[in-house]
Amino acid sequence: MRMRLLLLGLSVALAIGTVRAEMPIAGQPDNGGRRINVPAPDDGTSRGITGASADQNPHVLKFFNGDTLHGRLLAATGATGLRWGSTDARAVIDFALGNVATVQLGGGKVRPGAQVGTRVALTNGDELRGTIVSLDGESLVLDTWYAGAVTIRRAMIKSLQPNRVMSATIYEGPNGAEEWRTGTSERGWVYRNGALYANGSGGIGRDVKLPDRARIEFDMAWRAYPSFQLAVYTDNLEAVYGNCYVLQFNGNSVYMQRGSRNNFRNLGGGANIENWQRRNKARVTLLVDKTKKTLTLLVDGALVKQWMDSDEFAGRGTGLMFYAQGQGVMRLSNIVVSEWDGELGKSEPTTATTADAIQFVNNDKVSGQLKTIAKNQVTFVTPFATLEVPLDRVAEIQFASDKAERARRQAADIRALFQTGGSVTVTLEKLDDQSLTGSSENFGQRTFAREAFGELQFNIYDERATVQKSDDDWGEPAD
C-alpha cells in the first residue's frame, strides 16, 4: 500500500512539473508549442577562440571605469572598434574604443635571438629593438623579426645602444588570486579589478623564478599608515621569514634587511622618503644584482638608496613575498618582474645639444657628428679626427637634439608594448589574430607581428590614462 502511494505521489509531481514547464511565462512571446532548442555549450571555436585560449582565456580587457573582462582579442580597427571573444559569451562582442584602457595579451614565447640587438630610443618615447643595417644623414634602417626592415627618420631618433641584451618580462600581473600563495595569516589577501588588496596583516607570495639580475616593479597604494615588507629571492612563500632580503617600509623610513629563517639584521643604514606619510600611492622599483650583491630602490623613478652586502648573497630562492603589517588597507597592482640589464639609467640633458656624442664600451666618450653606419662600421667625425670604429665597440650614441623632431599625436594612436621591453606608438589601422598594422611619422606605415606584444594601450592621450578617479579602486567612495 505504501509503495502504491509513493508511486502515485511521484506521478502527480511529474505531471505538475510538466504542466509548469509548458505554461507560458508572462511577458515572453509564445512559441506556439514548438520545442525550443538550447544550444550545446560552446567551446569558442565558432567565435575564433581556439586552442589553449579557449580554455584559459589569457587576454584581459580593461576599461577606464575599472571593469575587466577575460577572453580573447579577435580584431580591432580605429574606425569600427574592438572585437572580443569569450567562452562565457554566446556571441562575439563589439566594443567602441572610447572607454577601452588596455588589453593584456598574456606572455607568449619570445623568439630565439629577440633579446639581443640594438635599442633605438625615439623622441616620442618609443623604443624599438633590432639589428642596424645602415644609417646616413636621413634615416636608419633597422632589421627586426617583428616588422621586417623598418626605415626610421634620423630626426626622430634620440639615441642608439648597440649590442644590448634586452630585458625579458618574466611575470606581469596580478591576474588572479589563484596564481599567488597566501601566507599563514587568516585574513589573507583578495583579488579585485586587476589588483591585490590586504586589509590587516598577512602575506602573499609567488615563485617568479627571479634571475641573477632582476627588475621588480609595482604600484603600491595605502590608506592610513604605510607599513609594508617585500621579501625577494626568498625560499619561503608562507611567511616573510626565509633566506632572503626584506625591504621594509615604515612611515617615512625604508630599510633593507638581510635574513635567514632564524636571524634578521639591517643591511647598512636606512633612508627617508620625503612626505611619504602624506602620500597614498607610489611606483616602487627594486633592482637586484645577485652577482654584485647590490639592491637598489627607486620610488617614482627617483633613486632612494643602494645597499651592498659584503657577505654571501642571502637569498636562497627565486620567489617574492609581499607582507602587509596591519596598519590599514593596502593595494598592489601593475606588478612587473623582468630581467635587468644592470644599468640605473641616465638623467636627461636640460638644454638642447648641437653635437652627437658617442660612448665606447671602455666608457671613453667624444662629441662630434655621426656620419654613417654601414657594414657594422661607424664613421664619426670629431674636431680632431674622423674615427672609423667597429659597431661592437660602441656602447651608446646620443643624437644632437637641436634639430630633433617629434611625431605628432593622432586621435587613433595606440601604444603597443613589446614583450622584451620597449614600445611603439602607431595610428591604428587594422589588428587581427596575426598582425597589427599602423602608421607613424617616425617610420610610415608598418605591419607588426602581434606575437611581439604583451600589452596594447588605447586612448593614450586621454587624461583618464594618467589621472586616478576620485572614487579610486578601493571599492568604496574616497574620503
Side-chain angles (χ1 to χ4, degrees):
M1 184 69 174
R2 179 179 296 178
M3 179 63 68
R4 190 175 292 176
L5 289 173
L6 286 173
L7 291 173
L8 179 60
L10 180 59
S11 299
V12 171
L14 289 173
I16 294 173
T18 303
V19 170
R20 285 178 178 171
E22 293 176 352
M23 290 177 64
I25 301 174
Q28 297 293 325
D30 187 352
N31 68 346
R34 297 187 301 274
R35 181 182 297 273
I36 300 175
N37 293 319
V38 179
D42 187 0
D43 65 359
T45 304
S46 63
R47 287 166 283 125
I49 311 171
T50 58
S53 61
D55 300 325
Q56 301 170 8
N57 286 344
H59 299 175
V60 181
L61 173 61
K62 295 187 177 182
F63 299 90
F64 280 114
N65 68 352
D67 290 346
T68 61
L69 186 65
H70 290 73
R72 186 164 182 83
L73 175 60
L74 302 178
T77 71
T80 61
L82 181 149
R83 307 209 80 190
W84 190 259
S86 171
T87 55
D88 296 324
R90 297 183 62 181
V92 169
I93 308 171
D94 291 319
F95 292 104
L97 294 180
N99 291 310
V100 175
T102 64
V103 175
Q104 294 179 354
L105 298 175
K109 293 183 178 180
V110 178
R111 290 193 180 186
Q115 295 171 235
V116 180
T118 296
R119 183 161 65 183
V120 182
L122 305 183
T123 54
N124 69 339
D126 284 351
E127 193 175 282
L128 283 73
R129 284 89 187 279
T131 302
I132 294 177
V133 177
S134 64
L135 178 140
D136 57 24
E138 299 297 326
S139 61
L140 165 73
V141 179
L142 188 72
D143 184 37
T144 70
W145 70 265
Y146 50 82
V150 180
T151 301
I152 305 170
R153 292 179 56 202
R154 177 166 173 158
M156 304 295 195
I157 301 174
K158 181 180 178 182
S159 65
L160 300 176
Q161 290 181 306
N163 314 306
R164 290 299 303 273
V165 176
M166 310 309 176
S167 299
T169 299
I170 298 169
Y171 170 79
E172 187 171 1
N175 305 299
E178 66 281 355
E179 64 184 21
W180 293 83
R181 183 182 300 180
T182 304
T184 55
S185 168
E186 294 182 0
R187 304 186 73 168
W189 292 65
V190 296
Y191 173 83
R192 185 174 68 248
N193 293 334
L196 293 167
Y197 292 80
N199 189 2
S201 298
I204 193 165
R206 176 182 171 92
D207 186 358
V208 294
K209 307 299 181 185
L210 288 169
D212 287 349
R213 292 198 299 191
R215 184 183 190 97
I216 304 158
E217 300 178 275
F218 55 93
D219 288 335
M220 170 181 167
W222 61 92
R223 286 189 166 181
Y225 187 84
S227 184
F228 171 72
Q229 292 178 323
L230 167 64
V232 296
Y233 291 88
T234 184
D235 56 358
N236 183 6
L237 298 179
E238 299 294 336
V240 74
Y241 302 107
N243 296 294
C244 60
Y245 292 92
V246 177
L247 181 66
Q248 166 110 31
F249 292 94
N250 190 12
N252 286 335
S253 301
V254 60
Y255 301 90
M256 182 67 70
Q257 293 184 318
R258 185 185 196 278
S260 67
R261 291 184 184 272
N262 300 315
N263 180 36
F264 272 71
R265 61 178 174 82
N266 285 343
L267 186 65
N272 288 325
I273 304 176
E274 187 176 359
N275 295 324
W276 186 251
Q277 287 181 274
R278 297 180 182 179
R279 302 165 62 179
N280 60 10
K281 62 179 179 178
R283 180 69 174 174
V284 177
T285 303
L286 185 63
L287 307 172
V288 186
D289 190 326
K290 187 175 180 179
T291 58
K292 295 181 178 178
K293 296 179 289 186
T294 60
L295 303 99
T296 305
L297 173 66
L298 296 91
V299 173
D300 291 330
L303 176 64
V304 175
K305 188 175 178 64
Q306 182 178 82
W307 293 269
M308 180 176 291
D309 195 348
S310 58
D311 293 333
E312 180 184 4
F313 192 80
R316 301 289 181 84
T318 55
L320 298 177
M321 181 76 182
F322 295 99
Y323 191 86
Q325 295 182 291
Q327 301 296 324
V329 183
M330 167 160 288
R331 179 182 71 221
L332 297 175
S333 59
N334 298 320
I335 304 170
V336 180
V337 180
S338 60
E339 294 179 355
W340 177 42
D341 61 11
E343 291 193 5
L344 291 177
K346 302 175 182 177
S347 59
E348 298 291 335
T350 56
T351 59
T353 57
T354 58
D356 302 324
I358 185 169
Q359 181 178 339
F360 302 102
V361 292
N362 65 354
N363 290 324
D364 287 347
K365 187 174 182 179
V366 295
S367 298
Q369 183 182 10
L370 175 63
K371 283 292 189 180
T372 62
I373 301 177
K375 297 181 179 179
N376 292 319
Q377 192 81 2
V378 179
T379 301
F380 195 88
V381 178
T382 76
F384 313 103
T386 297
L387 306 178
E388 300 286 345
V389 185
L391 186 60
D392 62 8
R393 299 300 302 163
V394 176
E396 183 172 12
I397 299 172
Q398 291 279 346
F399 287 74
S401 60
D402 61 333
K403 296 181 181 179
E405 299 178 25
R406 183 186 178 100
R408 289 171 292 184
R409 296 179 172 185
Q410 305 295 329
D413 280 355
I414 68 168
R415 183 179 297 113
L417 278 58
F418 292 101
Q419 289 195 59
T420 53
S423 63
V424 62
T425 301
V426 296
T427 301
L428 176 64
E429 297 179 10
K430 179 183 177 182
L431 181 144
D432 56 31
D433 61 345
Q434 298 294 322
S435 62
L436 184 158
T437 300
S439 58
S440 167
E441 290 183 331
N442 291 322
F443 43 72
Q445 185 191 65
R446 296 302 306 172
T447 296
F448 300 83
R450 199 177 94 167
E451 63 179 313
F453 303 114
E455 180 177 319
L456 302 177
Q457 299 176 351
F458 297 83
N459 301 293
I460 57 178
Y461 310 126
D462 193 313
E463 65 179 8
R464 293 174 298 174
T466 55
V467 177
Q468 186 174 353
K469 303 183 298 298
S470 60
D471 61 353
D472 60 38
D473 293 319
W474 297 102
E476 60 186 27
D479 295 333

